[in-house]
Amino acid sequence: MVKVNDSSAYKRGQELLDSGMCREAIALFDEFLAQQPDSWKALNSKGFAYQKMSEYTEAIACFDKALQINPKSVEVLNNKAFTLSVRGLYKDAITCFEEAFACDPTSLEALNGKAIALQRLFLYKDALDVLQQAYQIDSKHPQTLLSIAVTLQKLEQYERAIGYFKKVLSTDKTNVKAWNGIGVTYQLMGDNDSALKCFTKILNIDSREIQAWLSIGYVYQRMGKFNDALKCYNKAKALVDGRYHHKLYDGLASCLTKLSEFDQAIEVYKHIFQREQGKKKWDAQRSIKFVNKLKRKKANGTLPDVMSADDDLLGE
């Protein structure tokens, strides 16, 4: 974000934006733009505020206005490209990231953003080629190293992936994303014990790290240790303090189903159904139907005593 050293509405809006008060920040950016309608920086900040609130159509409109004034702004192009990517418009995002990189051939943000969009399109080899460009610019850039590692993970080159995650840890032993990446890689390799050690390492760094609790819960669930998994999910639930978190609720509902706590599982799936859209909403609806089917089987005595960790909740 661009900063200015004055007492304008723009500066106050920027301070509010940095504090997460996006709606209030937008009001001040509008006040500033009423006086200076050609300020591409204020339009960019206003777009960024909309982006943070997931109001992507409004965000892109602001970025487009900013680009009409300053078409070669790498910052605005990258912000627009990221927003397009979040909306799932990956090909448009890639084009926009390429425009940003053409304006600044050292933009690591443009290269990393393009690589992530390529990953979303399952073009992992192409993503890796782009990330190698970024690596040539800065071989110690943490985000680039993490992105390379994740891409190698997707290509099932697990040992190489771990090597890049460890490059990040060589300069920052508390990097949670790197420890999580190694843990996930071990998990993909079938080494649950090593995965648990990595996720536990994260909790030693920060015991309130929600993703670590979820990851440990998932590993326990895959190991068939459903009660242990449930404890981890409940710990994560306490940490989110009432906020909706899809991975948490999905894991919690799945675990409750495995433990034959069908009424509780159904309530969690209903919560997911109410909060989600698209495929996730549809999956929750299917899960509710399936768990109700299991509940009926339990009532008439035809439900197996123990369900496998690999049982598909959406199966028949």
Side-chain angles (χ1 to χ4, degrees), residues 13-42:
Q14 189 63 57
E15 290 170 350
L16 289 172
L17 177 56
D18 292 342
S19 299
M21 301 175 67
C22 298
R23 192 70 65 188
E24 295 83 353
I26 288 171
L28 286 170
F29 292 141
D30 283 338
E31 181 182 327
F32 182 79
L33 286 163
Q35 301 298 320
Q36 300 192 42
D38 291 335
S39 173
W40 66 270
K41 294 180 181 179

Side-chain angles (χ1 to χ4, degrees), residues 33 40 80 87 108 129 192-194 202-203 220 228 234 254 262 281 294:
L33 286 163
W40 66 270
K80 179 183 176 181
R87 287 187 63 186
L108 294 174
D129 289 341
N192 290 323
D193 289 336
S194 293
I202 295 173
L203 294 178
Y220 278 141
D228 290 333
N234 282 329
S254 173
F262 300 132
K281 188 181 190 75
L294 294 177

Side-chain angles (χ1 to χ4, degrees), residues 147-186:
S147 293
I148 290 174
V150 169
T151 307
L152 290 169
Q153 192 185 79
K154 297 295 185 182
L155 290 168
E156 299 184 4
Q157 298 183 31
Y158 298 133
E159 294 295 344
R160 287 187 66 197
I162 290 172
Y164 276 93
F165 284 127
K166 286 184 176 180
K167 283 179 183 289
V168 177
L169 293 173
S170 68
T171 56
D172 179 10
K173 296 186 183 301
T174 64
N175 191 295
V176 169
K177 290 182 179 179
W179 281 114
N180 185 69
I182 295 175
V184 170
T185 307
Y186 278 130

Side-chain angles (χ1 to χ4, degrees), residues 104-165:
D104 178 7
T106 65
S107 176
L108 294 174
E109 184 177 359
L111 289 173
N112 276 278
K114 179 182 176 181
I116 290 171
L118 287 166
Q119 288 174 8
R120 297 291 186 268
L121 292 170
F122 307 105
L123 299 172
Y124 300 121
K125 291 183 179 179
D126 292 338
L128 189 59
D129 289 341
V130 172
L131 290 167
Q132 290 298 338
Q133 283 183 268
Y135 186 78
Q136 294 301 317
I137 295 170
D138 184 353
S139 62
K140 296 182 179 180
H141 185 243
Q143 185 55 54
T144 298
L145 294 171
L146 289 170
S147 293
I148 290 174
V150 169
T151 307
L152 290 169
Q153 192 185 79
K154 297 295 185 182
L155 290 168
E156 299 184 4
Q157 298 183 31
Y158 298 133
E159 294 295 344
R160 287 187 66 197
I162 290 172
Y164 276 93
F165 284 127

